[in-house]
């Protein structure tokens, strides 16, 4: 029955009645420890009963001039990280410290920024805004989720396991990067957009002075893995004390810039061409030097008979000039022409 509510007192919601089961209640049924009466349907509690305390938010965006592969890689990272946020592309003319203000406006305390140069080189900044530290990487060998080789699959928004190489605990600069990666790539517990399942692994392996990123799906309980993607290689350049700048904490001595790498390739190609030309010149010199000059054979002149020498005659008198022979038929032709003209005039 409807009840009148008193003035000034907020009306409370009426309690839902539990539906009764169609079957009869068994007499031996014991009451549920949670307070549910046997024979009634109870609403299960929410999956995540905890409180969202770790408010890590990651801003993932890029500069203008990136190619399609970088755009797909950025989108893949956003789908794998439910605690990430997106933003519009940043202009090339803007300074990098402007990103700290963008993160503050987006309420983010971590940032992954993709910077493209010369439309062929890709750099990735990983930063803890606004105080630092931050690291700059050169991204190589990018493969995205959409490629056919990646046959794995995982639940959208599920929490990943982070697996690190043992070298991350040995070197101090790798220890800083490990803490950065943990805070950025690990999904916070009880995040509203996350799922309380762990079905994939992020692996960070150090090989050949580079960090190799892989993402695997956990299929069975015996830890059999299938790669999901994306995959890429990070070549560390520098670690800075501040966010997108500041004092340099570490500089990679094994790093070689892409411009230097391309220059060395061009120099090696030019050296090969020079070597080929030198080999050709040496072969020409050898061919010229290999010809043996044979001396004259004295027996070749035995059967030669010398020709009779004619006396030289010197002509002292000028030779007579030949008489000019006139054409005898020419005056007759002239007379005939004159006669024809006279005949025409008379007529």
């Amino acid at each position: 029955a409807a009840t009148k509510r008193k003035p000034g007192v907020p009306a409370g919601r009426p309690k839902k009645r539990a539906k009764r089961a169609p079957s009869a209640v068994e007499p031996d049924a014991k009451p549920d420890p949670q307070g549910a009466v046997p024979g009634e349907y109870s609403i299960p509690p929410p999956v995540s009963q905890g409180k969202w305390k770790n408010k890590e938010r990651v801003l993932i965006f890029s500069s203008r001039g990136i190619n399609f592969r970088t755009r797909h890689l950025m989108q893949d990272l956003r789908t794998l990280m439910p605690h990430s946020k997106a933003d519009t592309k940043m202009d090339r003319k803007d300074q990098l410290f402007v990103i700290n203000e963008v993160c503050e406006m987006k309420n983010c305390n971590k940032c992954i920024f993709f910077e493209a140069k010369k439309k062929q080189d890709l750099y990735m900044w990983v930063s803890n805004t606004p105080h630092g530290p931050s690291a700059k990487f050169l991204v190589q060998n990018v493969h995205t989720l959409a490629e056919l080789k990646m046959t794995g699959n995982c639940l959208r928004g599920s929490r990943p396991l982070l697996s690190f190489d043992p070298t991350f605990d040995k070197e101090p600069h790798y220890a800083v990067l490990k803490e950065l990666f943990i805070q950025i790539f690990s999904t916070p517990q009880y995040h509203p957009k996350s799922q309380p399942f762990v079905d994939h692994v992020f692996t960070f392996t150090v090989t050949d002075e580079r960090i190799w990123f892989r993402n695997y799906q956990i299929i069975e309980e015996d830890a059999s893995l299938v790669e999901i993607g994306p995959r890429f290689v990070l070549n560390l350049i520098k670690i800075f004390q501040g966010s997108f700048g500041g004092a340099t904490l570490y500089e990679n001595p094994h790093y070689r810039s892409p411009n230097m790498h391309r220059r060395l390739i061009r120099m090696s190609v030019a050296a090969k061409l020079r070597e080929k030309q030198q080999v050709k010149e040496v072969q020409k010199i050898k061919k010229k030097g290999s010809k043996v000059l044979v001396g004259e054979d004295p027996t070749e002149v035995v059967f030669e008979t010398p020709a009779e020498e004619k006396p030289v005659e010197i002509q002292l008198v000028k030779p007579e000039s030949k008489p000019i022979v006139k054409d005898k038929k020419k005056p007759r032709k002239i007379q005939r022409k004159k006669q024809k003209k006279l005949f025409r005039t008379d007529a």
Side-chain angles (χ1 to χ4, degrees):
T3 56
K4 295 182 179 179
R5 68 180 178 88
K6 296 178 182 180
V9 180
R13 289 186 177 180
K15 295 182 180 179
K16 292 182 179 179
R17 292 184 180 181
K19 296 179 180 179
R20 292 192 173 273
S23 60
V25 182
E26 295 180 3
D28 298 335
K30 295 181 180 180
D32 196 11
Q34 293 183 357
V37 182
E40 294 183 356
Y41 295 119
S42 60
I43 300 171
V47 180
S48 59
Q49 295 178 347
K51 191 177 180 182
W52 178 34
K53 296 179 181 179
N54 183 14
K55 299 296 180 71
E56 296 283 352
R57 297 182 185 89
V58 184
L59 180 65
I60 303 176
F61 71 119
S62 68
S63 65
R64 297 197 179 277
I66 60 171
N67 55 7
F68 73 99
R69 192 175 290 275
T70 308
R71 189 172 65 253
H72 283 282
L73 172 65
M74 189 169 57
Q75 192 62 36
D76 293 346
L77 290 177
R78 286 173 186 166
T79 55
L80 289 173
M81 299 162 66
H83 60 293
S84 64
K85 287 189 176 183
D87 195 24
T88 56
K89 293 179 182 178
M90 198 180 77
D91 198 0
R92 294 181 189 175
K93 296 178 182 178
D94 295 340
Q95 299 295 327
L96 289 177
F97 60 81
V98 181
I99 301 174
N100 296 326
E101 300 176 5
V102 177
C103 292
E104 188 178 354
M105 287 188 290
K106 287 284 184 178
N107 197 17
C108 296
N109 52 2
K110 299 288 185 294
C111 180
I112 297 177
F113 177 66
F114 292 96
E115 185 181 8
K117 289 186 179 179
K118 293 188 175 181
K119 296 185 179 180
Q120 54 184 344
D121 302 329
L122 177 64
Y123 297 91
M124 187 174 86
W125 285 84
V126 176
S127 175
N128 178 26
T129 57
H131 303 295
S134 58
K136 186 180 181 181
F137 301 93
L138 175 68
V139 185
Q140 299 171 328
N141 301 338
V142 177
H143 298 274
T144 58
L145 270 169
E147 296 190 10
L148 297 175
K149 292 181 181 178
M150 315 294 185
T151 56
N153 193 8
C154 66
L155 185 67
R156 187 186 179 95
S158 60
R159 302 180 66 229
L161 291 173
L162 298 184
S163 173
F164 289 94
D165 197 81
T167 52
F168 278 94
D169 299 323
K170 296 177 183 178
E171 300 291 337
H173 58 281
Y174 282 133
V176 175
L177 293 178
K178 180 181 178 181
E179 187 62 30
L180 262 176
F181 290 152
I182 288 173
Q183 294 181 15
I184 289 175
F185 287 97
S186 61
T187 303
Q189 196 173 11
Y190 307 122
H191 191 277
K193 292 183 181 179
S194 67
Q195 301 291 337
F197 305 107
V198 178
D199 58 352
H200 63 289
V201 187
F202 290 160
T203 61
F204 298 90
T205 312
V206 178
T207 308
D208 194 21
E209 304 296 335
R210 291 169 175 82
I211 300 172
W212 301 64
F213 176 85
R214 297 288 185 273
N215 181 21
Y216 296 100
Q217 178 195 0
I218 304 171
I219 299 179
E220 301 287 343
E221 292 182 357
D222 59 348
S224 58
L225 303 174
V226 176
E227 189 170 358
I228 304 173
R231 58 157 70 171
F232 51 88
V233 180
L234 300 175
N235 191 0
L236 178 63
I237 302 173
K238 283 183 182 180
I239 300 176
F240 298 97
Q241 186 177 1
S243 177
F244 297 98
T248 303
L249 299 179
Y250 176 77
E251 186 174 359
N252 188 7
H254 305 284
Y255 171 71
R256 183 185 294 164
S257 66
N259 293 332
M260 181 63 69
H261 182 66
R262 287 189 286 267
R263 180 170 173 269
L264 291 174
I265 290 174
R266 289 195 299 268
M267 288 173 65
S268 64
V269 172
K272 286 181 181 178
L273 289 173
R274 260 188 260 111
E275 189 178 352
K276 285 183 179 179
Q277 289 177 356
Q278 289 175 359
V279 169
K280 287 181 180 179
E281 289 176 0
V282 170
Q283 288 177 352
K284 285 181 181 179
I285 293 169
K286 284 184 178 179
K287 286 179 180 178
K288 288 180 180 179
S290 61
K291 291 180 179 179
V292 181
L293 297 174
V294 182
E296 293 183 0
D297 190 5
T299 58
E300 286 182 356
V301 200
V302 174
F303 298 102
E304 286 184 1
T305 54
E308 294 180 358
E309 295 182 359
K310 294 181 179 180
V312 180
E313 294 181 358
I314 300 170
Q315 192 173 358
L316 300 174
V317 184
K318 183 180 178 182
E320 296 179 356
S321 58
K322 294 180 180 180
I324 299 170
V325 180
K326 292 183 179 181
D327 190 6
K328 296 179 180 179
K329 295 180 180 180
K330 196 171 182 179
R332 293 179 184 176
K333 289 179 181 178
I334 294 168
Q335 287 179 1
R336 285 177 187 171
K337 285 181 180 180
K338 287 180 179 179
Q339 288 176 0
K340 285 181 181 179
K341 284 180 181 181
L342 290 170
F343 178 74
R344 287 175 185 171
T345 52
D346 293 339

